[in-house]
Amino acid sequence: LAELISVREAQNSICTQMHRLEEEICGLTEVCGRTLAIDIHSRVDLPPFDNSSMDGYAVCAADTRQTKEEKPVVLRVTSDIPAGKAPDVEIVAGTAARIMTGAPLPNGADAVIPVEWTRSSGSNSIMVLRPVQPGDFIRSRGTDLRSGDLVFTRGRIVQAQDVGVLAQLGFNSVPVFRRPRIAIISSGDELLQPGEPLVPGKIRDANSYTLFHLAKNTNAEVIRLGIAPDDPHKIRALLDLAVEHHADLIISSAGVSVGEYDYVRKIIEEDGTLSFWRVNMRPGKPLAFGNYRGIPIFGLPGNPVSAFVGFLVFVEPAIHAMTGGCQTNLREIEATTQEEILSDGRESYLRAIVKRSPTGYSARLTDEHQGSGNLLSLSRANALLIVPSGVKCLPSGTAVKVWLLDNFKEI
Ligand code: AMP
Ligand code: MG
């Protein structure tokens, strides 16, 4: 078990051990960010009826064929069709109906003339300044979607615009996967709360806050269980609290390495199963995964950058696996290195700054050092640059994979 496994092996091992959560019904005001548990098929045609895309006049296109600005055809306006009203007239040759955007097209009409292409000609007539073709300015029934069409597939994370589509289709609520309940634990004798005064030898707990928000951003329900000192009984007590809270996943940080006081890994071995605890990556080699009393548990490294990277590389996909989401990493793009980048042959996730340029994306490392305790440098970065396993030098100008961080837009 002391074996060093690759990032890919670790990800595969995690994914096969995560269980899908149950489904529940979710109303439209709560559904954004949730994961669909079923394929959504349309129950209607969209648009549901032929309608005007402009404010104008519904006409027979043939009536306008000869019209020109100097010699306009005159049509008699026989009715008014506002949006929301079913028309009760039929358009015959020589007549038109005033029609508003979104109003149903009356029988007999096969085109709409925008109001800008007309001039009034007495109280109930218009002059047509330009001809229209059949179909012009009409949104025909079913052009966007036909009843029965597949609209969204199971596993889709619902976006704001998707909720609008669901509303158009007549869904009040949809089945989604339950939100995972995630418990966050920090461990270490040196840790203080942010509000406590610093005393010699102590530092403030950063990880439980970073991990709390990373987990929240996946739309999970997140509980912070606090800090356990380096005492096996106290660590176990916090893990048991996670069990009591019916956590679907426990994320702890620190205490998984080879230090004298690294108890987390030992506890997982005793009260659960440890799948692995060493991954061939940088930062974050000591990274444990297993289950504690049946609940999947990550023992992320204590160094704050390693914990963050460990979350993106392993925990995020694990959460998606629980909620049926697709595995593709939406953060990933390709960029070109602007400088030579050295690595030690481990798969590396380096803090980088990515910029858009006319020819694509360019990437360089942040100015700050890449020490895994240097959390601030992660705030200065807007991407992680991935050096593949086995590669020790990327010359300037190499195409690399980068993962854009959420602050990418702001830099
Ligand atoms: P460990 O994995 O326990 O050896 O911790 C590795 C490093 O991460 C040490 O320098 C710890 O002080 C630091 N560390 C552990 N937990 C946290 C935390 N919650 N917030 C900030 N730094 C931490
Ligand atoms: Mg420690």
Side-chain angles (χ1 to χ4, degrees):
L1 206 61
E3 193 192 340
L4 192 59
I5 67 172
S6 71
V7 169
R8 179 48 58 85
E9 285 172 310
Q11 285 168 330
N12 289 344
S13 162
I14 293 163
C15 271
T16 55
Q17 293 181 60
M18 301 308 296
H19 295 290
R20 278 252 157 100
L21 298 176
E22 314 83 75
E23 299 175 13
E24 63 185 21
I25 300 296
C26 186
L28 291 197
T29 54
E30 308 300 322
V31 80
C32 202
R34 303 292 298 273
T35 309
L36 289 177
I38 58 163
D39 291 343
I40 299 286
H41 290 270
S42 180
R43 303 161 166 179
V44 292
D45 291 337
L46 278 185
F49 50 86
D50 296 346
N51 69 93
S52 176
S53 68
M54 298 291 275
D55 293 328
Y57 295 90
V59 297
C60 308
D63 281 354
T64 71
R65 202 173 297 141
Q66 306 295 341
T67 206
K68 357 181 149 64
E69 199 136 4
E70 316 80 68
K71 204 163 160 264
V73 164
V74 173
L75 298 176
R76 194 159 52 82
V77 179
T78 56
S79 64
D80 225 349
I81 313 169
K85 196 182 146 204
D88 50 10
V89 285
E90 176 148 358
I91 303 303
V92 294
T95 70
R98 187 175 294 110
I99 191 165
M100 304 303 139
T101 305
L105 197 73
N107 285 335
D110 62 1
V112 168
I113 304 176
V115 70
E116 296 85 347
W117 296 5
T118 65
R119 207 176 298 145
S120 122
S121 163
S123 59
N124 274 327
S125 295
I126 50 156
M127 290 184 272
V128 178
L129 308 179
R130 291 168 65 169
V132 283
Q133 304 299 319
D136 280 359
F137 304 104
I138 293 170
R139 300 186 286 214
S140 303
R141 173 179 182 156
T143 40
D144 299 350
L145 204 60
R146 293 259 174 217
S147 179
D149 282 354
L150 177 64
V151 187
F152 300 124
T153 45
R154 172 187 158 104
R156 181 177 177 94
I157 298 174
V158 179
Q159 310 292 304
Q161 61 272 38
D162 302 347
V163 187
V165 172
L166 291 169
Q168 286 181 321
L169 301 182
F171 290 90
N172 261 323
S173 59
V174 282
V176 295
F177 291 105
R178 176 167 72 72
R179 294 167 75 199
R181 195 169 305 121
I182 299 179
I184 311 273
I185 290 170
S186 282
S187 73
D189 275 347
E190 71 277 39
L191 299 180
L192 298 172
Q193 302 286 357
E196 293 183 274
L198 270 187
V199 290
K202 305 275 183 183
I203 59 165
R204 297 188 177 109
D205 166 26
N207 293 348
S208 73
Y209 291 94
T210 307
L211 295 170
F212 174 80
H213 287 287
L214 286 172
K216 277 221 123 174
N217 289 348
T218 69
N219 227 330
E221 197 183 299
V222 194
I223 11 178
R224 296 181 63 246
L225 295 181
I227 302 169
D230 290 319
D231 167 343
H233 300 289
K234 303 257 171 68
I235 296 170
R236 217 182 285 268
L238 268 200
L239 295 176
D240 288 337
L241 196 56
V243 178
E244 269 172 50
H245 275 89
H246 302 287
D248 300 299
L249 177 67
I250 303 170
I251 307 173
S252 98
S253 65
V256 288
S257 196
V258 293
E260 197 60 36
Y261 304 102
D262 287 340
Y263 295 116
V264 174
R265 176 163 51 86
K266 292 166 201 150
I267 293 170
I268 299 174
E269 271 173 317
E270 279 167 28
D271 282 330
T273 27
L274 184 69
S275 298
F276 58 82
W277 66 279
R278 292 174 80 226
V279 183
N280 193 18
M281 67 186 289
R282 186 174 73 118
K285 187 159 80 172
L287 189 148
F289 178 76
N291 72 75
Y292 177 77
R293 294 176 53 195
I295 300 176
I297 179 168
F298 283 94
L300 297 181
N303 275 309
V305 177
S306 312
F308 181 96
V309 170
F311 185 97
L312 293 197
V313 178
F314 301 108
V315 185
E316 202 170 64
I319 295 172
H320 286 314
M322 276 194 286
T323 54
C326 56
Q327 290 295 300
T328 48
N329 191 319
L330 300 177
R331 303 172 182 281
E332 187 168 300
I333 61 161
E334 197 170 271
T336 308
T337 54
Q338 275 185 309
E339 59 189 1
E340 181 182 75
I341 292 169
L342 301 177
S343 177
D344 65 358
R346 282 185 279 168
E347 183 162 324
S348 302
Y349 293 77
L350 306 179
R351 279 142 276 170
I353 293 178
V354 167
K355 289 205 169 112
R356 269 192 211 94
S357 77
T359 52
Y361 291 93
S362 67
R364 63 177 175 85
L365 299 188
T366 51
D367 298 329
E368 295 84 1
H369 73 84
Q370 295 274 331
S372 56
N374 185 4
L375 185 58
L376 180 63
S377 69
L378 199 47
S379 292
R380 303 276 189 252
N382 67 3
L384 294 176
L385 183 154
I386 304 171
V387 184
S389 163
V391 174
K392 291 196 168 170
C393 174
L394 293 171
S396 179
T398 311
V400 287
K401 283 184 194 163
V402 298
W403 287 4
L404 300 180
L405 301 179
D406 291 345
N407 65 349
F408 173 70
K409 308 183 246 350
E410 290 151 30
I411 294 185

